[in-house]
Amino acid sequence: MIWVNMHQAKTHLSRYVARVVAGETVVLCRRNQPVAEIRPLPQPPVEPRPFGLAKGAFSVPPSFFEPLPDEEIAAFEERGE
């Protein structure tokens, strides 16, 4: 962990960002009092998520494929009867 004053951080920002990218944490101070912390963001996973993680967790009933009643279609289309 590195402690730096604001002026020093503004002057050498790219140097401190490079250290943050390398995994260090930078604490910003105002008059030697810590006020903020700069740390690396978590990296997204490198491998893509596999397909089928929820396989067998639920099933679609046959009624899902039946047409909707006219009242529900009217509600979606906002038309009066």
Side-chain angles (χ1 to χ4, degrees):
M1 186 178 303
I2 309 164
W3 290 52
V4 295
N5 283 314
M6 292 286 186
H7 177 71
Q8 188 179 7
K10 287 191 295 186
T11 304
H12 304 288
L13 181 62
S14 59
R15 181 183 304 168
Y16 293 116
V17 168
R19 292 180 77 166
V20 167
V21 169
E24 289 190 62
T25 300
V26 175
V27 177
L28 297 175
C29 301
R30 181 178 290 138
R31 296 185 183 133
N32 295 324
Q33 295 296 318
V35 294
E37 197 173 78
I38 304 173
R39 63 184 110 159
L41 292 173
Q43 297 300 314
V46 178
E47 298 178 13
R49 291 185 59 179
F51 289 105
L53 289 177
K55 185 175 183 177
F58 64 94
S59 63
V60 179
S63 62
F64 177 81
F65 299 101
E66 295 175 3
L68 290 174
D70 289 336
E71 302 84 35
E72 290 185 35
I73 294 173
F76 278 113
E77 295 176 351
E78 294 185 31
R79 62 177 184 201
E81 293 195 28

